[in-house]
Amino acid sequence: KTPKFRRVWGGVQSNTGDNFGGWLLRILNGDGNFACGAAYYAPILVITSANCIYPYRNSLEGATVEGTAFSECDRENIADIDTIKFPEKFVYQKLYMDVAVVRLREPIKGRLTEFIRLCTVKVQPRMQMVVFGWGFDSTEVQIPSSDPRNATVTIMSYKECRHNFKRNLKLSSTTVCARQPKNPRQCLYDGGSPLIYERELCGVVSFGSHCQDTSRPGIFTNIRRVHRFITEIEAEINAGEMGRSTRVARKVTKKPKKKSNSTSTRVRISRLYRSASVDPLEC
């Protein structure tokens, strides 16, 4: 019941303990395997990539969202998923409006839990931002870590990004591209994982790139361009206009499947317990 504004992340300098902040989350499927990265926006609202979470839309039983910052007073830092909200114009495996709002059954508990602001700055070329992840996108490069990692990326111009992909991928007006680190082991591209600028959420890892070839830009959804969709979902829930359900609220157009030689790798992961030092008497 703590007001949202009292739990807003104040930046790296405000972190308590060895973690990146209580807003950084990961989504686990019903089998307990990593599904997507995510960011905590409001008590029961989590932001991730629509392309990443879409395959799990019909199997939400047992699917959970877990925090990455724990104090010694916390017994659990996890919440069940209730529904997933997709933009009406989102098309699976397309880049336009690649964002999803995950509604939780209850807020994630924890003394270190906090929310992140939506991006208020205009994303421009040569801006440096920080992306987070675990490495589940690039198991061919290295074994994923149980602890989240981060890397600095540089925003590219739309023209340069489009030239890089040529005709292999069609960019959209809600897309922003970033130059990946040259070393693949430093690259992070887990679907839905946050891209931040200072203390605001400015992007989420989208679809169409990977860490095996870092010469290609990383593709992200520009949060400033999908801001309205997120805040409208929040307003509808706060007004009691959106009931709970165990199914996805909106259907989206599904792109026909194409044959692929690549196989997805599911890696079972253990829960992350990054603790802050807290006097047991204060718990």
Side-chain angles (χ1 to χ4, degrees):
K1 296 182 180 179
T2 303
K4 178 180 170 183
F5 70 89
R6 291 188 179 178
R7 283 288 185 112
V8 173
W9 185 50
V12 176
Q13 68 279 0
S14 70
N15 288 352
T16 301
D18 187 14
N19 60 77
F20 292 122
W23 58 272
L24 179 59
L25 309 174
R26 62 186 185 185
I27 299 173
L28 308 180
N29 65 17
D31 296 327
N33 297 318
F34 179 90
C36 306
Y40 206 7
Y41 168 64
I44 58 171
L45 297 181
V46 171
I47 299 172
T48 189
S49 157
N51 272 306
C52 182
I53 198 71
Y54 186 80
Y56 304 98
R57 68 197 184 284
N58 295 324
S59 55
L60 297 181
E61 188 68 31
T64 57
V65 176
E66 184 181 50
T68 61
F70 294 81
S71 79
E72 295 177 357
C73 295
D74 298 333
R75 294 184 178 181
E76 63 177 19
N77 200 356
I78 195 166
D80 294 326
I81 293 177
D82 182 64
T83 52
I84 306 171
K85 311 296 180 183
F86 296 99
E88 291 182 353
K89 294 185 178 180
F90 165 69
V91 178
Y92 183 48
Q93 295 188 346
K94 294 288 188 178
L95 298 178
Y96 183 64
M97 295 298 291
D98 180 16
V99 65
V101 175
V102 177
R103 181 177 182 175
L104 307 177
R105 291 186 181 276
E106 64 282 321
I108 298 175
K109 299 179 181 179
R111 287 197 169 199
L112 304 184
T113 301
E114 52 199 345
F115 312 115
I116 191 167
R117 298 178 178 89
L118 299 183
C119 196
T120 58
V121 299
K122 183 179 180 180
V123 179
Q124 297 180 332
R126 295 189 294 277
M127 290 176 69
Q128 288 195 325
M129 297 191 179
V130 179
V131 62
F132 298 82
W134 293 259
F136 286 94
D137 163 79
S138 52
T139 54
E140 296 84 355
V141 176
Q142 61 181 324
I143 299 174
S145 59
S146 59
D147 296 347
R149 296 180 285 125
N150 66 356
T152 300
V153 295
T154 304
I155 300 301
M156 299 172 61
S157 69
Y158 190 88
K159 183 178 180 180
E160 182 182 2
C161 184
R162 185 173 56 185
H163 175 74
N164 195 293
F165 282 103
K166 297 181 180 179
R167 296 181 179 180
N168 296 327
L169 188 68
K170 185 178 181 180
L171 303 182
S172 80
S173 59
T174 61
T175 296
V176 62
C177 299
R179 189 171 289 106
Q180 301 277 35
K182 291 183 178 180
N183 186 349
R185 297 178 68 87
Q186 296 177 349
C187 174
L188 294 170
Y189 201 72
D190 295 324
S193 292
L195 177 73
I196 69 166
Y197 180 72
E198 295 183 347
R199 52 182 182 174
E200 296 182 341
L201 178 67
C202 288
V204 294
V205 173
S206 185
F207 166 83
S209 191
H210 51 76
C211 286
Q212 287 89 328
D213 181 7
T214 57
S215 65
R216 289 199 168 189
I219 301 176
F220 301 83
T221 298
N222 188 336
I223 290 297
R224 199 161 180 257
R225 294 289 182 91
V226 298
H227 178 280
R228 183 175 178 179
F229 166 73
I230 297 170
T231 55
E232 283 181 351
I233 293 293
E234 181 182 27
E236 288 179 19
I237 290 177
N238 289 341
E241 298 174 358
M242 189 174 292
R244 293 184 178 274
S245 174
T246 56
R247 296 182 179 180
V248 176
R250 298 176 181 175
K251 293 183 179 180
V252 296
T253 305
K254 186 174 181 181
K255 182 181 178 181
K257 293 183 178 179
K258 293 184 178 180
K259 293 183 179 180
S260 174
N261 294 326
S262 63
T263 56
S264 60
T265 303
R266 291 186 177 181
V267 183
R268 180 175 293 276
I269 58 178
S270 58
R271 291 185 180 179
L272 175 68
Y273 291 94
R274 303 292 288 176
S275 300
S277 179
V278 179
D279 186 345
L281 295 177
E282 296 180 359
C283 296

